[in-house]
Amino acid sequence: MSQREWIEKDFYKELGVSSGASADEIKKAYRKLARDLHPDANPGDAKAEERFKSVSEAHAVLSDPAKRKEYDEARRLFASGGFGQGGGGFNPGAGGFGQGGFDINDLFGGGGAAAGDGGLGDIFGGLFNRGAGGGGATRTTNRPRRGSDVETETTLEFREATLGVTVPLRLTSPSPCTTCHGSGAKPGTSPRVCPRCNGTGIVSRNQGAFGFSEPCDDCRGTGSIIDSPCEVCHGNGVTNRTRTITVRVPAGVSDGQKIRLAGQGEAGLRGAPSGDLFVTVRVRPDKVFGRNGDDLTLVVPVSYGELVLGTTVSVPTLEGRVGVKIPAGTADGRILRVRGRGVPKRAGGAGDLLVTVKVAVPQKLDDPATEALKTYLEAEKASGFDPRAGWAGA
Ligand SMILES: [Zn+2]
Ligand SMILES: [Zn+2]
C-alpha cells in the first residue's frame, strides 16, 4: 500500500474508534467487527467481505504502535497541506496549500514571530525526511508560543542617565502563574496530550479528495488537555501580575534610547519562553549641563575683565568640580575643552566637558564702578583699541 493510500484511509473510522483510542479499545472494536463481518458468518456477501478486509487492514496498522505512529504522522503531514492535491506531488508554491482557503499562518499563530518559529520548517522538514525513507522523529508543530514583547518607558534625571543608574520599574503584564508554574494545570496534576489531535493541535477533515486542516476543537489548537485547570489562572498558565523589576541603565544612555531586557516581557502560554522587555529611556534636561554625544556642554558666565586678564573659574562636573583656566585675551563665546570629564563611554573612558564662556554684562553699576569704567574706556581708547576696527560695517 502506498503512503498516499495509507493517509487517505481513515483506519480509525473503519474501526469506529476515536483517533485517541487506546490499544484496548482498538482491540475490542476490531474483535467485534471481525466477528460480525467474517465471511463465514456472511456467506456470499461481497460487501461484508470488503468491509472485513478493510477492518483487518486498519487493525493491522493501528494495533502496531510503531505503524500507528507512522500512520498518524503521515496523516498529520497530509492534513497540514504538505501534499498537493494531484497525484501526491509536493508543490512548494502557494497552490500546494489551502484548497479550502486554509492559511498556514492561522495555524502557526499568525504572527511573524510564530512563522519564524519553525512552523513551516517543520512541515517541510518532516516531509523531506519521510521522502528520504527515514522513520522521522515525531514532531509537534504547535509549539507553545513565546510571550509577547513588552514596551515601557522610564524617565531619568540627566545625571542618572549619563552616569548610569539602577531603577525599579513597575510593570503590569501577563506573567507565568506562580501557582501552577505556567503549566495551567492544578498543582499535582499535569496536562495530557490531546488524544484527538495527538498533540499537534491540528485535525484533518476530509471532503471528497481533499483534506483540510483546522485547529483541534478539543484542545483549541494547543495540543494538550488540562483536566483540572489551575484555579488561579483558569488553565492559561498566565496571570496578570504587577511586578517590579530592577533595571540597570548603563551610563551614557541618551534621550529616546531603547534598552532591551531579554526574557523580561510577557510570559509565554503554558511555560513557553517569555518575550523581551524594551524600555524607552526619557531623559529630563539638566539645569546646568547639555549633551552632545559623549561630550557634556556647559556655559560659564564670566565678566569682560576676566576674559581680558585671564582667570581660573571653578565649574561643576558630573562628579564634583574642576578648575578651568581662561587664558588672558579669551574671546566671548569661546569653547574650552576639559578632557575626560564628559559622559562615560560604554567602552571605557569618557567624553569631554566643553565649557563655553559667556560675558555677563552688569545691568547696574554703583558710582565708583561707573566712574572707574569711564576712566578705563578713556585709557583703552588712548591705548589704540578700537572695537570696530576692521569691521565691515564701519
Ligand atoms: Zn495557574
Ligand atoms: Zn487537540
Side-chain angles (χ1 to χ4, degrees), residues 177-182 184-185 230-235 237-239:
C177 173
T178 49
T179 305
C180 62
H181 302 288
C230 166
E231 284 163 8
V232 175
C233 64
H234 308 290
V238 167
T239 48

